[in-house]
Amino acid sequence: MQDRVGLLECIDRHVVHYVEMRFWAIACFAKCGDDITGVVSRLCLAKLRARATNGDYLIGVGSFDMTGPAAGVNMMGYANMYQSTAGIQFRLRARTFVVAESSQGPRFAFVNLDAGMASQLITIKVLERLKSRFGDLYTEENVAISGIHTHAGPGGYLQYLVYSITSLGFVHQSFDAIVNAIELSIVRRAGSRPRQVQLLDSSRTGSLLNTNSSSTPVTNSSNRSRAFCQSHVGDVTPNVLGAFCIDSGKPCDFNHSSCHGNDQLCMGRGPGYPNEILSTQIIGERQYQKAVDLFISATEELTGKIDYRHVYLNFTDIEVELDGNNVVKTCPAALGPGFAAGTTDGPGINKLWRKLRDLLKEPSQFQVQCQKPKTVLLDTGEMFVPYAWAAAILPIQKLRLGKLIILSVPGEFTTMVGRRLREAVKETLKSNGNGEFNNNTEVIIAGLTNTYSQYVATFEEYEQQRYEAASTLYGPHTLSAYIQEFKKLAEAMAKGEKIMKGPSPPDLFKAQLCSLLPDPFGDSPPPGTNFGDMKQDIIVPKNGTFTKGDKASATFWSANPRYDLLTEGTFAVVEMLQGQHWTPVYDDDDFSLFFKWKVDDSYLYSMATIE
């Protein structure tokens, strides 16, 4: 990765489509001359400095390109078949942070993906590769793989069928790019060195609606790795101007997020509306300014032991004891109509999902009763043809770094769900830790980690059956089940006890259907031309000079980017003449440069536009 300094570096990969950006951040800063670059998160930043050899932790960081297929592959997030990759604005990366007490002591690896979410199949295959390289050094217990909730990366890498419908099946290029990047980011981790971690609070940055403040760790390393991590923000948005009707421009019906009864017309607006790129920049700059403040003010050092607990649970059949000895159960996975409707960040495609419902399966009477008041639209938990449509076995995980506790959760938790879970875990630690945990213990959440099971809403939110509740798969008592099971992990950690592994999730790699995604085409340029020949040269302004704000654009005949992902490389380079030599100054990982791909009007040949 090239070493660059500047404001635009602090706008991380997911910010290009700026729809999810409240995160806790690990590894964020480096000082280069008088500039400080990096990114800020909702929950935390930790400042990490090299120390003498008697430092408290050994920390290594590594990063690797996981961009994947940049042309014609459905993006993961909105379940919209018409949202496909068509170039690159930022390269996507896997970033690994390994923290150990000593070379032989306890450690954990936190892997941050520029992807919508983690995948159970990716986790399984990564752990297999790590075992072949490192033996038992890295296992499912001490490795956390977490997505940042971007909706602007290639899909087709999850193993459960419902997530492969809009990507037209399993996409091996997407999957392989991510698995390879995770493995190599761990292998590449910059040799563990003694370092100091400092903890501080970060508050609202003006980047989101419906925020709450908490505490988080920030890091500062000399090789400048930085990452955003999704927290419990399933019901927040950076569309801070609010939601408006696209036909009239008036505010949407607040209670129903609709316009004249039509939820497809209600869309959120970011701070730079109608320019999404400007919104991206504004959000990034707000985070950058907050990051600088936090970097300067960080003082509290994290010390203490490293520990972890992990368990697999069958979330379709958990008995949960509520207050008053009332025992309830979770349900097989199911999606409600609110899921198909989408949100103001991106309306759903009702017709597609309703057609699928009619073609597929009627829910059992047990499922109908268990999921109430949700009306079952897609009975994914009872659908197994040609293989499982939704997860039944889920992992939950707890990592400890001194007084900082990270809860790895396999979904998108709403703000209130996260608060209740964090409070329950903290109280359990305090009451069982014999004074080791107290009010200063910080509990944070890493969402979308190790696998994906969509949303988790509170019981009260579930009653309303809006998007997040309709996407809460395992019924109205899902949160209560999470709290119950995480309390068990917390108690085991506080008492120094081990915990049973639980039932392993299936490995469905061999069950994946052949993709219906067409093979790339454009094997040759038009007759009489060569790849790289210019189709449209830059149009120079009449005054002969480009000024700030002008856009320079050139189009070339190109092969399809899926033929070669150019991992750790670039599809576009802008060079500057410096004396007698041309020097690269921008590539497809820079905010100011766009690499756009499309086919020509004949649909036979490919073009690449550099802006």
Side-chain angles (χ1 to χ4, degrees):
M1 180 177 178
Q2 286 186 318
D3 223 7
R4 307 182 202 90
V5 179
L7 170 63
L8 294 180
E9 290 185 50
C10 77
I11 307 173
D12 216 328
R13 307 298 186 270
H14 64 279
V15 187
V16 54
H17 287 256
Y18 58 95
V19 289
E20 295 85 15
M21 292 198 307
R22 193 169 75 162
F23 308 92
W24 59 271
I26 292 185
C28 204
F29 299 96
K31 207 166 226 186
C32 302
D34 294 327
D35 293 322
I36 302 172
T37 62
V39 284
V40 66
S41 77
R42 174 188 84 68
L43 275 177
C44 87
L45 288 168
K47 189 165 63 174
L48 186 111
R49 294 192 185 125
R51 294 184 64 193
T53 55
N54 62 348
D56 291 312
Y57 302 114
L58 294 176
I59 297 180
V61 296
S63 174
F64 201 83
D65 184 2
M66 53 162 273
T67 302
V73 174
N74 185 248
M75 291 182 175
M76 181 60 199
Y78 284 125
N80 185 339
M81 296 183 71
Y82 304 104
Q83 185 200 14
S84 295
T85 57
I88 295 176
Q89 184 176 5
F90 291 114
R91 288 210 160 244
L92 309 177
R93 302 194 72 83
R95 300 173 179 83
T96 291
F97 306 87
V98 177
V99 188
E101 286 187 14
S102 65
S103 59
Q104 302 300 317
R107 70 176 54 204
F108 67 77
F110 192 97
V111 184
N112 177 256
L113 300 180
D114 285 342
M117 63 286 295
S119 155
Q120 184 65 72
L121 189 56
I122 282 177
T123 300
I124 289 171
K125 296 307 180 185
V126 166
L127 291 173
E128 288 178 359
R129 293 191 184 188
L130 295 179
K131 185 172 181 62
S132 69
R133 281 183 179 268
F134 301 107
D136 294 329
L137 188 63
Y138 298 105
T139 70
E140 59 202 4
E141 292 189 36
N142 67 347
V143 174
I145 302 174
S146 184
I148 64 170
H149 201 173
T150 180
H151 287 26
Y157 62 88
L158 285 85
Q159 74 169 352
Y160 297 106
L161 185 57
V162 72
Y163 308 119
S164 297
I165 292 173
T166 55
S167 62
L168 301 179
F170 190 73
V171 181
H172 282 273
Q173 273 192 322
S174 297
F175 179 83
D176 292 342
I178 298 173
V179 172
N180 292 339
I182 296 171
E183 178 190 15
L184 293 175
S185 72
I186 293 176
V187 172
R188 273 187 166 190
R189 71 194 188 285
S192 299
R193 294 187 294 165
R195 297 174 187 267
Q196 176 193 65
V197 178
Q198 295 178 325
L199 186 71
L200 48 89
D201 288 335
S202 70
S203 57
R204 179 176 178 139
T205 66
S207 299
L208 301 149
L209 293 177
N210 188 21
T211 61
N212 68 307
S213 60
S214 182
S215 297
T216 302
V218 194
T219 59
N220 171 33
S221 73
S222 59
N223 68 356
R224 311 190 61 238
S225 292
R226 69 268 193 203
F228 273 95
C229 307
Q230 173 78 72
S231 186
H232 52 104
V233 294
D235 54 349
V236 304
T237 175
N239 287 319
V240 293
L241 297 186
F244 295 83
C245 300
I246 60 176
D247 58 346
S248 67
K250 295 181 180 179
C252 301
D253 180 328
F254 180 79
N255 292 322
H256 301 94
S257 297
S258 64
C259 303
H260 336 296
N262 187 341
D263 54 28
Q264 301 293 299
L265 298 177
C266 181
M267 292 290 292
R269 294 180 180 178
Y273 175 84
N275 187 331
E276 288 193 358
I277 303 303
L278 178 58
S279 290
T280 298
Q281 183 172 352
I282 292 171
I283 295 288
E285 287 174 347
R286 290 175 180 176
Q287 294 186 355
Y288 167 78
Q289 292 300 328
K290 187 64 179 180
V292 173
D293 294 341
L294 295 173
F295 180 88
I296 294 171
S297 63
T299 56
E300 182 181 355
E301 181 181 355
L302 271 177
T303 59
K305 67 174 62 173
I306 289 174
D307 202 359
Y308 42 81
R309 296 291 185 278
H310 177 285
V311 68
Y312 287 116
L313 300 163
N314 184 347
F315 247 83
T316 69
D317 190 32
I318 296 178
E319 288 191 347
V320 183
E321 185 174 325
L322 303 179
D323 295 338
N325 296 321
N326 179 28
V327 177
V328 296
K329 295 185 72 173
T330 55
C331 318
L335 292 161
F339 156 78
T343 71
T344 58
D345 285 336
I349 307 177
N350 271 299
K351 292 181 180 179
L352 169 66
W353 297 111
R354 291 184 187 279
K355 285 180 180 178
L356 282 175
R357 174 200 63 187
D358 296 340
L359 289 171
L360 296 171
K361 185 184 183 300
E362 246 184 78
S364 66
Q365 192 57 37
F366 167 80
Q367 178 77 311
V368 170
Q369 293 298 319
C370 189
Q371 291 280 350
K372 283 186 175 179
K374 179 197 292 177
T375 300
V376 177
L377 173 68
L378 289 177
D379 188 20
T380 53
E382 295 184 321
M383 295 162 59
F384 302 98
V385 177
Y387 53 92
W389 282 60
I393 310 299
L394 298 180
I396 62 172
Q397 183 183 50
K398 191 164 174 284
L399 307 174
R400 179 184 180 186
L401 180 62
K403 74 170 190 176
L404 176 69
I405 307 297
I406 303 171
L407 307 182
S408 300
V409 302
E412 305 175 51
F413 284 24
T414 67
T415 305
M416 188 53 68
V417 164
R419 288 178 181 174
R420 293 180 184 178
L421 177 60
R422 291 164 55 207
E423 290 169 2
V425 167
K426 185 172 182 175
E427 289 305 312
T428 302
L429 290 170
K430 288 166 56 179
S431 60
N432 290 277
N434 196 27
E436 189 173 357
F437 302 94
N438 53 41
N439 288 334
N440 292 324
T441 299
E442 298 289 349
V443 180
I444 60 176
I445 289 175
L448 301 158
T449 300
N450 294 328
T451 191
Y452 183 58
S453 60
Q454 294 184 245
Y455 284 78
V456 178
T458 66
F459 182 84
E460 297 83 357
E461 291 164 345
Y462 194 90
E463 294 284 304
Q464 300 301 312
Q465 277 304 297
R466 300 192 70 175
Y467 177 79
E468 294 81 13
S471 304
T472 297
L473 298 183
Y474 305 103
H477 305 294
T478 301
L479 171 57
S480 296
Y482 272 107
I483 289 176
Q484 173 181 283
E485 300 305 320
F486 263 109
K487 286 172 69 174
K488 293 177 183 178
L489 288 189
E491 183 175 349
M493 179 174 282
K495 294 180 177 180
E497 299 173 350
K498 298 296 182 181
I499 195 164
M500 295 292 290
K501 173 184 175 179
S504 296
D507 179 344
L508 299 178
F509 185 78
K510 293 182 179 179
Q512 299 302 313
L513 298 177
C514 293
S515 175
L516 298 177
L517 182 70
D519 289 334
F521 55 90
D523 295 340
S524 60
T529 65
N530 297 309
F531 284 135
D533 285 354
M534 187 166 283
K535 183 178 185 295
Q536 174 63 61
D537 201 347
I538 293 174
I539 299 176
V540 179
K542 291 182 179 180
N543 64 5
T545 303
F546 285 95
T547 59
K548 185 176 181 180
D550 290 340
K551 181 185 293 185
S553 176
T555 301
F556 305 83
W557 293 112
S558 167
N560 189 306
R562 284 170 58 198
Y563 283 119
D564 186 344
L565 304 184
L566 293 182
T567 301
E568 290 289 298
T570 181
F571 286 107
V573 176
V574 174
E575 297 180 335
M576 179 182 292
L577 182 60
Q578 297 180 334
Q580 300 298 314
H581 303 284
W582 289 94
T583 303
V585 289
Y586 300 109
D587 60 25
D588 66 11
D589 203 22
D590 283 287
F591 183 76
S592 58
L593 187 146
F594 293 80
F595 167 75
K596 298 180 178 181
W597 172 88
K598 68 176 183 178
V599 294
D600 70 351
D601 293 339
S602 72
Y603 289 91
L604 296 175
Y605 308 110
S606 295
M607 300 180 294
T609 298
I610 314 300
E611 291 184 356

